[in-house]
Amino acid sequence: MPLYRPPFVSKLAAEDRCHLNGLAMKDGRPAYLTAASEGDVVDDWRDHRHDGGVVIDIERNEVVLRGLSMPHSPRWYRDRLWLHNSGTGDFGWADLERGRFEPVTFCPGYLRGLDFVGDFAVLGLSEPRGEKAFAGLALQERIEAKKAKARCAIQVIDLRSGDVVHWV
């Protein structure tokens, strides 16, 4: 039984239109979703990976943040909506009043998965699944500019400083 449909999707179908990929709970209730695009045709999100990503407020049933690149893993923690702007490699938070993403830390890999322990965020990074997985994304350009390599890792970020304080 369908429980939710984004406001920009005209019908539910066995297709991957907008690529919903994250749910944040707030006070025990579903509160925010991330999607790779506001697409309404099959596979549309792939054409909008660079800056078509959005955050949806479920209760208001509206998009509250646009311009993200493959946003992922939203979590409500300490009165903020934290998430990954995975296509850029940035971990940060959503300034919902201004409709802006505030980056905290760059990580050299595709970000997915997020949890918190006190003043620390624990997040996952993955390497590209294929040669073209990062193609056209700011993430690839940033990794190359820093003369780094994409990593498959778990990183611990100090929320007070944005520093990577540990990694595996």
Side-chain angles (χ1 to χ4, degrees):
M1 177 174 76
L3 300 176
Y4 180 78
R5 178 173 47 96
F8 46 82
V9 172
S10 60
K11 72 174 192 168
L12 295 177
E15 304 169 347
D16 189 4
R17 295 176 178 201
C18 62
H19 200 68
L20 289 175
N21 61 13
L23 168 67
M25 303 291 284
K26 181 179 177 186
D27 301 325
R29 300 179 52 95
Y32 298 96
L33 290 167
T34 50
S37 81
E38 293 179 80
D40 195 29
V41 296
V42 72
D43 243 8
D44 186 63
W45 68 273
R46 293 183 189 276
D47 296 329
H48 301 284
R49 297 177 316 140
H50 180 71
D51 63 358
V54 297
V55 173
I56 305 163
D57 181 316
I58 295 172
E59 186 174 317
R60 292 171 32 198
N61 198 35
E62 66 183 43
V63 174
V64 293
L65 182 56
R66 287 184 168 86
L68 300 168
S69 180
M70 301 184 71
H72 215 286
S73 306
R75 301 289 184 266
W76 188 261
Y77 185 69
R78 292 187 175 170
D79 298 322
R80 281 192 174 162
L81 180 64
W82 298 86
L83 66 146
H84 303 315
N85 199 16
S86 297
T88 67
D90 289 314
F91 163 68
W93 57 280
D95 183 334
L96 297 171
E97 290 182 16
R98 294 187 199 150
R100 292 189 339 204
F101 176 76
E102 297 292 339
V104 171
T105 301
F106 170 75
C107 300
Y110 189 83
L111 298 169
R112 58 180 83 216
L114 175 61
D115 204 354
F116 297 91
V117 179
D119 291 328
F120 302 94
V122 180
L123 48 91
L125 289 76
S126 66
E127 294 178 340
R129 289 186 283 209
E131 283 183 24
K132 297 183 181 182
F134 293 169
L137 295 177
L139 174 59
Q140 180 181 13
E141 296 168 12
R142 293 178 77 190
I143 289 172
E144 289 171 3
K146 293 178 181 294
K147 299 188 183 339
K149 292 180 94 175
R151 294 184 181 167
C152 182
I154 295 173
Q155 290 190 332
V156 179
I157 311 296
D158 188 323
L159 297 174
R160 298 162 296 190
S161 66
D163 293 341
V164 177
V165 294
H166 194 68
W167 58 93
V168 176

